[in-house]
Amino acid sequence: MNAIRHHFAPLQRLLHWLMAICILAMLFIGVGMVSTIMPKYVPLVSIHKTLGTVIFVLALIRLVTRFYYGAPPLPVDLPEPMKLAAELSHYALYALMIGMPLLGWAMLSASAYPAELYGGIYLPALLPQSDSLHTLLWNAHFYLAFAFFALILMHAAAALFHALVRHDGVFAAMAPVPIREEATQVEYRVAE
Amino acid sequence: MPEPRPSPAHSVLGSIVLIGVVVAGSAAAFAYTAGWLSPERLTPWKMLQALAPPSGPALGHRRNHAKGICFTGVFESNGSGAAISRASVLAAGQYPALGRFNLGTPNPDAADASVRVRGMGLRITPPNGEEWRTAMINAPVFAASTPEGFHELLLAAGSKDTNAMKVFARAHPEFATFGAWARNGPWTGSYAEDHFNGLNAFIFTDSSGADHAVRWSLLPQAQIIPVAQDDLEKLGADFLKQEITQRVRSGPQRWTMAVTVANPSDPTADPTKAWPEDRRTIDVGTLVVQRIEAEADGPCRDINFDPTVLPPGIRTSDDPFPAARSSVYAKSYDLRTAEAKDYPRIPTGPKP
Ligand code: HEM
Ligand code: HEM
Ligand code: HEM
């Protein structure tokens, strides 16, 4: 048997935290831009499209690293339903970080809008113009954005619960900088 | 035996409270950013509410400039614009053009003679994927100097209080130029005889990287025959559509695109202020309208003539309108495309 790893690979951790910042920024930029008519609307939309596309590319790279490095196992004493919730929510987070940019891009195409990124880069149209597709994609991009935010809040709450209450090494596995929590985990198990 | 590290009960509680604060705080910051905690924020939605007539908006139609007709043709760029902008659409050549003649009213059934403001939406597409979209009107200046001012104007115009417009005009002396044009400006019997002015200022960047603040206009090449509004009222409610369909059927109609370059001291952020007549003006090309099509199933129907869709070499200036318009037009577009079933794709107007 291979030695069990306790941490995500440094590249995975780098991508996780870099993307966490970008995705949270995207959600805030998204709801901020659609509720303003101020001059900042134009740069916000441009950043939204550009950063969203960067997230899409990073997400694909991240998916590859996930298949390559795998993920450290969850603690053995974690109740089954919680393990399932963790796994399912991770699938959902991956689906959203790949799906949201595709929906945004396709929505622009369906409204015959040029998908122009910062620096005068144009993405090709994914779909022909169509009002019904535009409406469908708009609704998906809109409702999934709120689902994404809710999921991230739950995910962060769970991560903090592992870090502050369970001290079970789950947070350390993804910590942006190495932290010594394994010791805690071992001591905890012994104490039980 | 090592001490178990898990926190004592009160510290667990503390941690849970901390987690709750983090989650609630993030949710509150999100709600604030989305404007849910700021009812005073002027959102695109509020702008649309102010535009809507008391009976509510016409579903499936543009929330303003709702009555219109599509056209297609070409933009013949003569290359003179290349001196002030590196945009490929200003290099000499012929590029496909799609547009829409329209009336500045939220009512798609308004009688043509009752609407003072006429407009043109235009999209020019050079072959490399770039696009230039613009929406222009026949007024020589705009009615408000800021989007907020325009919102106030809409509220005053829609108010039941008969004094509201007087109060607005007193508080906004900049409205006077537009007001005078609305009362005394000439009327024509054809879209082909109308000027269409972009009014907002944009920045052209030339190949050396130098910026030039500009405004653009389409000047009709057809002979202009002024008509009294009273005489137009005797014509049918849709005379403009019928007339332009007839006219284009008998021959393409042309407009010269004139780009006016500001002097450094000219106001770029205020479309109620015309620039002095003597400013350098460059004729950059000719719009040739070759074909008219009804809107209901026509090519302009699902296009948003968003004035911030600009090719590299043209960008927005400190004029606050294009950004506000982009935001509001997008909302209008989202709504009307979602309501497509309320506006069947059956042409009712004249066919080419
Ligand atoms: C935009 C926000 C975020 C997204 C999209 C996201 C996504 C993910 C995903 C997909 C995983 C599964 C591991 C993988 O395969 O990459 C994961 C793991 C993890 N995340 Fe996040 N995350 C976000 C924010 C956060 C935040 C704010 C925290 C902490 C407060 C956090 C803590 C963790 C931890 C501790 C793990 C490891 C869980 C395990 O060992 O299975 N994440 N995250
Ligand atoms: C991780 C990726 C993304 C996230 C989290 C995200 C999130 C959001 C959010 C929260 C909104 C505001 C929804 C509302 O309140 O109405 C929004 C709107 C929008 N997004 Fe995204 N987005 C992403 C990627 C993209 C991409 C890549 C594009 C285009 C290339 C895009 C295009 C748009 C557009 C055009 C709107 C405005 C829709 C409208 O007309 O109302 N998004 N997005
Ligand atoms: C903040 C100020 C303004 C607001 C809120 C506003 C609002 C609107 C809305 C909601 C539409 C319908 C968009 C669509 O559904 O596609 C529209 C169309 C139009 N607007 Fe404005 N507008 C403003 C300023 C202007 C200015 C300054 C001009 C002229 C220079 C202008 C000219 C037009 C024209 C010509 C159209 C019709 C475009 C088409 O054929 O699709 N608007 N406007």
Side-chain angles (χ1 to χ4, degrees):
Chain A
M1 203 185 116
N2 290 330
I4 293 174
R5 285 190 311 109
H6 296 291
H7 293 107
F8 284 92
L11 177 60
Q12 286 178 294
R13 281 185 278 164
L14 176 71
L15 282 171
H16 175 273
W17 291 103
L18 182 67
M19 291 185 68
I21 295 166
C22 292
I23 291 171
L24 281 169
M26 279 298 282
L27 288 160
F28 279 83
I29 291 169
V31 295
M33 70 188 190
V34 299
S35 62
T36 186
I37 62 158
M38 310 242 287
K40 67 185 174 208
Y41 175 81
V42 173
L44 284 177
V45 171
S46 176
I47 295 170
H48 188 85
K49 294 191 263 196
T50 310
L51 187 57
T53 308
V54 169
I55 289 171
F56 177 67
V57 173
L58 290 178
L60 295 180
I61 296 173
R62 181 164 172 191
L63 203 59
V64 173
T65 65
R66 181 67 171 72
F67 282 121
Y68 184 76
Y69 295 110
L74 288 165
V76 279
D77 64 335
L78 197 66
E80 238 5 90
M82 279 177 84
K83 275 190 189 157
L84 187 69
E87 267 167 31
L88 288 181
S89 64
H90 293 170
Y91 280 122
L93 288 168
Y94 268 108
L96 285 165
M97 55 195 162
I98 294 170
M100 282 298 288
L102 284 175
L103 286 170
W105 178 7
M107 165 169 74
L108 288 177
S109 312
S111 57
Y113 220 78
E116 189 191 355
L117 307 183
Y118 196 79
I121 303 164
Y122 289 85
L123 298 179
L126 279 183
L127 297 170
Q129 188 277 318
S130 151
D131 59 23
S132 50
L133 277 178
H134 175 260
T135 304
L136 187 76
L137 295 163
W138 187 91
N139 278 306
H141 195 78
F142 177 85
Y143 288 107
L144 288 177
F146 291 95
F148 202 176
F149 187 65
L151 195 60
I152 289 168
L153 287 187
M154 276 159 54
H155 174 78
L160 292 174
F161 188 78
H162 284 288
L164 302 175
V165 179
R166 281 184 54 95
H167 303 283
D168 58 4
V170 167
F171 188 80
M174 191 54 104
V177 287
I179 53 172
R180 293 177 48 81
E181 226 181 297
E182 270 80 4
T184 321
Q185 190 184 5
V186 174
E187 287 163 1
Y188 188 17
R189 298 256 167 71
V190 172
E192 274 176 339
Chain B
M1 193 182 125
E3 273 297 295
R5 280 284 295 279
S7 342
H10 72 266
S11 149
V12 167
L13 187 67
S15 299
I16 289 176
V17 169
L18 179 69
I19 295 170
V21 168
V22 169
V23 169
S26 312
F30 194 63
Y32 173 79
T33 310
W36 301 335
L37 308 177
S38 339
E40 75 292 343
R41 188 183 300 176
L42 183 48
T43 60
W45 175 247
K46 271 196 208 158
M47 202 65 118
L48 291 184
Q49 277 179 313
L51 273 166
S55 52
L59 300 182
H61 291 269
R62 284 165 168 81
R63 292 311 198 243
N64 196 14
H65 294 257
K67 186 174 187 181
I69 189 162
C70 302
F71 69 76
T72 49
V74 290
F75 177 65
E76 299 174 344
S77 178
N78 61 21
S80 308
I84 51 169
S85 169
R86 58 186 173 84
S88 58
V89 53
L90 293 172
Q94 293 211 0
Y95 311 112
L98 163 67
R100 182 172 173 271
F101 295 111
N102 55 64
L103 295 177
T105 165
N107 174 10
D109 302 318
D112 292 351
S114 68
V115 186
R116 180 70 270 214
V117 172
R118 296 180 189 167
M120 177 197 281
L122 178 63
R123 181 185 79 169
I124 308 172
T125 37
N128 53 4
E130 300 178 3
E131 282 193 28
W132 184 10
R133 298 190 189 186
T134 172
M136 302 155 284
I137 58 175
N138 58 344
V141 291
F142 199 57
S145 52
T146 60
E148 293 73 20
F150 187 61
H151 184 245
E152 284 175 46
L153 169 61
L154 293 173
L155 294 182
S159 166
K160 287 194 195 72
D161 176 2
T162 43
N163 259 332
M165 273 310 288
K166 283 207 190 86
V167 174
F168 174 85
R170 218 173 301 129
H172 293 272
E174 71 278 10
F175 176 71
T177 320
F178 179 90
W181 169 81
R183 277 191 310 278
N184 309 323
W187 291 71
T188 72
S190 173
Y191 283 127
E193 297 171 23
D194 285 328
H195 287 68
F196 296 104
N197 306 307
L199 302 185
N200 293 131
F202 293 83
I203 305 292
F204 276 16
T205 306
D206 64 29
S207 46
S208 77
D211 286 344
H212 312 271
V214 302
R215 288 174 177 163
W216 54 75
S217 290
L218 286 181
L219 316 178
Q221 291 184 5
Q223 196 200 342
I224 302 170
I225 304 162
V227 195
Q229 188 188 5
D230 297 344
D231 292 332
L232 296 179
E233 270 161 3
K234 295 179 197 129
L235 302 171
D238 298 328
F239 77 88
L240 283 173
K241 286 184 186 178
Q242 281 147 10
E243 198 278 342
I244 194 71
T245 309
Q246 294 287 333
R247 204 191 271 232
V248 173
R249 201 181 282 150
S250 57
Q253 297 301 308
R254 293 184 164 77
W255 285 258
T256 304
M257 184 179 279
V259 174
T260 305
V261 185
N263 277 6
S265 57
D266 292 338
T268 49
D270 183 351
T272 64
K273 294 197 172 53
W275 295 337
E277 286 293 337
D278 65 352
R279 292 298 178 259
R280 178 180 170 208
T281 296
I282 305 174
D283 291 348
V284 299
T286 305
L287 172 69
V288 186
V289 171
Q290 297 163 325
R291 190 182 148 93
I292 301 288
E293 286 174 71
E295 181 192 57
D297 61 345
C300 71
R301 168 172 172 157
D302 294 316
I303 298 298
N304 171 353
F305 294 97
D306 176 336
T308 66
V309 174
L310 301 165
I314 306 181
R315 65 174 201 278
T316 52
S317 68
D318 60 351
D319 186 329
F321 277 94
R325 295 171 64 188
S326 179
S327 173
V328 178
Y329 292 18
K331 190 81 215 157
S332 170
Y333 185 89
D334 292 343
L335 291 168
R336 65 188 171 87
T337 48
E339 298 156 353
K341 65 169 185 345
D342 294 295
Y343 180 23
R345 290 180 186 274
I346 305 158
T348 47
K351 272 309 254 178

